[in-house]
Amino acid sequence: MTGGASADRVAVIGAGTMGHGIAQVAAVAGCRVELVDTAVQRVQASLEHIRANLDEGVARGKVTAAARDAALSNINGITDIAAAVHDADVVIEAVPEQMQLKVDVLARVAAAAPPDAFLASNTSGLSISEMQRALPDPDRIVGLHFFNPVHIMALVEVVHGQDTSDEVLDAAVAFARRLGKEPIVVKDSPGFASTRLGVALGLEAMRMLEEGVASAEDIDRAMELGYRHPMGPLRLSDLIGLDVRLDIARHMHAAFGGERFRPPAILERMVADGRLGRKSGAGFFAWND
Ligand code: NAD
């Protein structure tokens, strides 16, 4: 089994919001990256996005022009999964959040990747253990949950599925560090660590607003000024999208039962009214951008 710190050949499947970011940080770290999507135009658009990110990094003095050029030369766009993974050390899937799609993609990867490669899913909430039950060699499957935007956010949750081997877990942690990230190891459980805590705080803030404990501004200021959160839970919910928050709350409520994650009535009502947060112009706050 490959060590993550020496994982030089990386394949990323799905070149959308997350895939292009993961490809970028891996290329900047000196890995050779195969970036896969279903159509040439999608791959091209993703490569353009990476170029624009790196150009901005150069303009801000965060990346040298030479490092940008080296990173870009490390990435190859491709549409053939088998060709992309045939000599990979690490494969990360970042296709849409649907269990069957992820299992199908990982099955194709497993059939074509070297036996000592480890295979990671960037799922933000699906069960890694469930993927393992549907795939051959479950010991080499692990979760690597990056955050958006990948080149800015430091956290990576390394998700320990039921059958993930210790060797693969260690390799995944080393790989995340190699990309300049701060990995935490989390057992495969609903919401992992970050979503479970973030959603709990957001839902409680909504219930406090419903009960008239304080205004939305002041509830947020409690966390910003009292706990040094960079942004309060209600504004953050607006940014994430209240429909997305509601979906996650329903998923967590179904998983855990009880009252903890039951979606508050105010959230249900706002989503039904089309008040989805920033993307719709209004949520707990007004958004004009
Ligand atoms: P996205 O829709 O932006 O990108 C997904 C890409 O996968 C698309 O370009 C699509 O064409 C491609 N794709 C679909 N089927 C494919 C296939 N069979 N082969 C190759 N490519 C295929 O989605 P995203 O926001 O990047 O999310 C990807 C994953 O990352 C999801 O599991 C999501 O839950 C997770 N995630 C997302 C975020 C976020 O903030 N967007 C954060 C953390 C984790």
Side-chain angles (χ1 to χ4, degrees):
M1 178 62 59
T2 182
S6 58
D8 292 321
R9 287 157 304 188
V10 175
V12 179
I13 320 295
T17 305
M18 298 306 288
H20 91 273
I22 297 166
Q24 178 182 323
V25 295
V28 167
C31 305
R32 296 283 314 163
V33 181
E34 298 288 332
L35 179 57
V36 186
D37 210 297
T38 48
V40 174
Q41 301 90 303
R42 282 184 184 273
V43 174
Q44 285 307 330
S46 186
L47 293 174
E48 285 308 314
H49 204 155
I50 293 171
R51 176 182 291 280
N53 281 345
L54 290 169
D55 283 346
E56 197 182 320
V58 172
R60 287 169 172 236
K62 306 262 184 207
V63 183
T64 65
R68 171 199 56 197
D69 295 345
L72 289 172
S73 73
N74 279 343
I75 309 177
N76 179 47
I78 185 168
T79 55
D80 181 341
I81 289 186
V85 306
H86 82 279
D87 65 351
D89 301 313
V90 182
V91 183
I92 304 156
E93 72 74 20
V95 300
E97 187 80 340
Q98 297 152 27
M99 179 57 80
Q100 195 54 52
L101 175 61
K102 287 188 184 290
V103 166
D104 289 348
V105 163
L106 286 171
R108 289 164 66 192
V109 168
D116 60 352
F118 77 80
L119 315 185
S121 170
N122 184 50
T123 179
S124 38
L126 299 175
S127 165
I128 299 296
S129 307
E130 191 178 334
M131 289 178 205
Q132 289 175 319
R133 286 193 285 275
L135 289 163
D137 306 328
D139 57 320
R140 65 166 165 162
I141 316 266
V142 66
L144 269 180
H145 181 205
F146 289 84
F147 289 74
N148 183 30
V150 178
H151 63 293
I152 309 267
M153 302 294 278
L155 180 64
V156 172
E157 287 184 305
V158 179
V159 184
H160 191 176
Q162 235 158 36
D163 296 315
T164 309
S165 71
D166 290 346
E167 213 178 355
V168 164
L169 197 71
D170 291 348
V173 166
F175 177 64
R177 290 210 177 102
R178 172 166 179 182
L179 302 196
K181 300 301 175 193
E182 302 271 358
I184 62 169
V185 174
V186 191
K187 193 175 86 172
D188 185 20
S189 61
F192 307 141
S194 58
T195 304
R196 183 163 166 182
L197 278 175
V199 170
L201 188 64
L203 298 183
E204 196 59 24
M206 292 173 205
R207 283 191 280 264
M208 287 165 65
L209 187 65
E210 262 178 342
E211 292 167 18
V213 172
S215 66
E217 287 79 3
D218 284 353
I219 289 170
D220 270 9
R221 279 157 60 91
M223 288 296 101
E224 291 161 6
L225 302 179
Y227 281 72
R228 291 201 177 191
H229 288 197
M231 186 183 296
L234 296 173
R235 191 172 293 278
L236 183 59
S237 297
D238 271 3
L239 275 185
I240 289 170
L242 300 190
D243 51 340
V244 176
R245 273 287 203 224
L246 179 58
D247 277 351
I248 297 171
R250 284 178 175 151
H251 171 71
M252 302 285 287
H253 179 57
F256 287 107
E259 291 305 305
R260 242 188 315 171
F261 293 104
R262 184 188 295 286
I266 191 173
L267 178 60
E268 302 264 18
R269 201 168 52 243
M270 287 171 74
V271 172
D273 291 348
R275 288 178 59 187
L276 306 181
R278 183 185 187 179
K279 63 184 160 193
S280 71
F284 294 107
F285 299 93
W287 296 87
N288 300 314
D289 53 345

